């Protein structure tokens, strides 16, 4: 009679244990990549798609200090707005000294600002130099697809002296992990895909809006855009602080989210003629 063997052969357990160990190691390495996780942190309230706005994550990640000190360098006040502001009192802003504005046009390839016409045309009609910005979601579609969507829905440019080049708003992900699940190299490639497509469509280099800490974390502090794309940096403090690599100076500084009339106020690094020069290309 054949001998009876009870239980599972011991030799069968080792391959399973080894495979489990390999899987855990792979998951640990994957999660260690910058921005590799795609889910929102536990306990974080995730806003509705389309509601993201410029500078939404600045205070949470970088904090907030005082207002900028007076400077001997001439600077020109501006604002940025989105659907959160609804119909904007452009006359009040103009009378307070605001001379330029950027208006959110699009997000991803799924959202268009419902207040865009009043904001974009209203700022123009009051006499401001204005432009449009796109809130990037690099985990939803390609840079080229989002650049095309932006241009097709308000983000174009014309040499009329009152239209600024479009802005790529690339910052913390309000819907999940801060780097949108991309590696640093993947993020750089995505940004380049957007900016290359935008230039091909409009003839202008897009302005890049970001924060230094995000740029370091999510692009590895890539220095490859400073020679072509003007920098709009976010820092809510008394000085502009450290800039991302590749940019010796900022073109625009978003210095507060609690300014008068609308929250987000900015300083263009130059007099109004320099704002007009950027508009004219």
């Amino acid at each position: 009679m054949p001998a009876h063997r009870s239980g599972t052969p011991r030799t069968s357990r080792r391959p399973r244990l080894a495979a489990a160990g390999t899987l855990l190691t792979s998951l640990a390495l994957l999660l260690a990549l910058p921005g590799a996780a795609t889910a929102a942190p536990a306990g974080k309230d995730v806003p509705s798609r389309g509601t993201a706005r410029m500078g939404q994550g600045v205070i949470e990640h970088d904090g907030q200090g005082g207002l900028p000190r007076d400077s001997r360098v001439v600077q020109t006040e501006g604002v940025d707005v989105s659907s959160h502001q609804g119909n904007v009192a452009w006359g009040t802003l103009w009378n307070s000294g605001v001379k330029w504005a950027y208006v959110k046009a699009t997000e991803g390839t799924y959202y268009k600002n419902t207040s865009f016409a009043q904001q974009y045309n209203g700022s123009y009609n009051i006499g401001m130099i204005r432009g449009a910005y796109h809130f990037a979601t690099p985990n939803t579609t390609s840079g080229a697809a989002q650049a095309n969507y932006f241009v097709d829905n308000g983000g174009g440019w014309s040499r009329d002296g009152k239209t600024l080049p479009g802005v790529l708003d690339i910052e913390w992900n309000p819907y999940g992990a801060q780097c949108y699940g991309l590696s640093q190299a993947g993020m750089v490639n995505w940004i380049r895909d957007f900016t290359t497509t935008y230039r091909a469509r409009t003839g202008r280099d897009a302005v890049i809006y970001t924060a230094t800490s995000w740029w370091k974390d999510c692009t590895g502090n890539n220095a490859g855009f400073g020679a072509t794309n003007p920098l709009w940096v976010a820092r809510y403090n008394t000085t502009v602080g450290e800039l991302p690599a590749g940019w010796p100076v900022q073109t625009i500084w978003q210095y507060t989210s609690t300014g008068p009339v609308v929250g987000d106020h900015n300083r263009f690094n130059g007099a109004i003629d320099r704002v007009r020069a950027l508009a004219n290309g």
Side-chain angles (χ1 to χ4, degrees):
M1 291 179 64
H4 175 69
R5 296 178 182 175
S6 62
T8 304
R10 293 183 180 179
T11 54
S12 67
R13 296 181 181 178
R14 292 178 182 174
R16 289 201 296 269
L17 290 172
T22 302
L23 178 60
L24 289 172
T25 301
S26 299
L27 287 172
L29 289 172
L30 179 63
L31 291 173
L33 289 171
T38 56
K44 179 180 178 181
D45 292 331
V46 179
S48 300
R49 284 279 176 181
T51 61
R53 60 191 185 276
M54 188 173 275
Q56 187 165 333
V58 173
I59 294 175
E60 177 185 352
H61 292 89
D62 285 350
Q64 183 177 22
L67 294 174
R69 307 184 188 101
D70 290 336
S71 173
R72 288 176 293 179
V73 177
V74 176
Q75 300 186 7
T76 308
E77 192 79 2
V79 296
D80 59 90
V81 297
S82 67
S83 61
H84 289 271
Q85 282 76 34
N87 289 344
V88 175
W90 292 111
T92 303
L93 283 166
W94 177 265
N95 292 333
S96 73
V98 172
K99 301 304 176 188
W100 61 270
Y102 266 106
V103 177
K104 180 179 178 180
T106 51
E107 176 180 319
T109 52
Y110 52 79
Y111 173 81
K112 294 181 282 187
N113 178 9
T114 53
S115 299
F116 183 77
Q118 191 277 343
Q119 295 173 348
Y120 194 72
N121 296 329
S123 53
Y124 180 95
N125 291 337
I126 205 68
M128 293 184 189
I129 302 171
R130 53 80 170 105
Y133 80 84
H134 173 80
F135 192 95
T137 56
N139 59 334
T140 60
T141 46
S142 69
Q146 293 193 31
N148 283 319
Y149 185 77
F150 177 44
V151 173
D152 291 342
N153 292 284
W157 174 80
S158 59
R159 187 177 277 109
D160 59 3
K162 294 185 71 174
T163 303
L164 292 159
V167 174
L168 170 63
D169 177 359
I170 186 80
E171 56 176 296
W172 296 280
N173 178 11
Y175 311 117
Q178 67 173 11
C179 299
Y180 299 85
L182 273 64
S183 66
Q184 292 173 341
M187 183 63 75
V188 170
N189 289 337
W190 192 97
I191 295 169
R192 197 168 302 284
D193 193 29
F194 183 100
T195 56
T196 300
T197 304
Y198 186 82
R199 180 171 179 79
R201 287 290 307 274
T202 66
R204 293 299 307 275
D205 289 304
V207 176
I208 292 178
Y209 169 96
T210 194
T212 302
S213 62
W214 185 91
W215 192 262
K216 284 182 170 182
D217 288 345
C218 297
T219 75
N221 210 21
N222 184 275
F225 297 91
T228 52
N229 301 92
L231 172 67
W232 186 349
V233 69
R235 187 169 189 262
Y236 302 165
N237 217 319
T238 55
T239 63
V240 72
E242 179 186 6
L243 300 180
W247 283 284
V249 67
Q250 81 282 358
T251 297
I252 304 171
W253 171 19
Q254 186 189 60
Y255 66 86
T256 186
S257 62
T258 55
V261 186
V262 300
D264 292 354
H265 277 245
N266 308 266
R267 290 183 172 180
F268 190 98
N269 199 11
I272 189 65
D273 65 310
R274 301 313 305 156
V275 183
R276 194 171 293 111
L278 180 62
N280 284 325

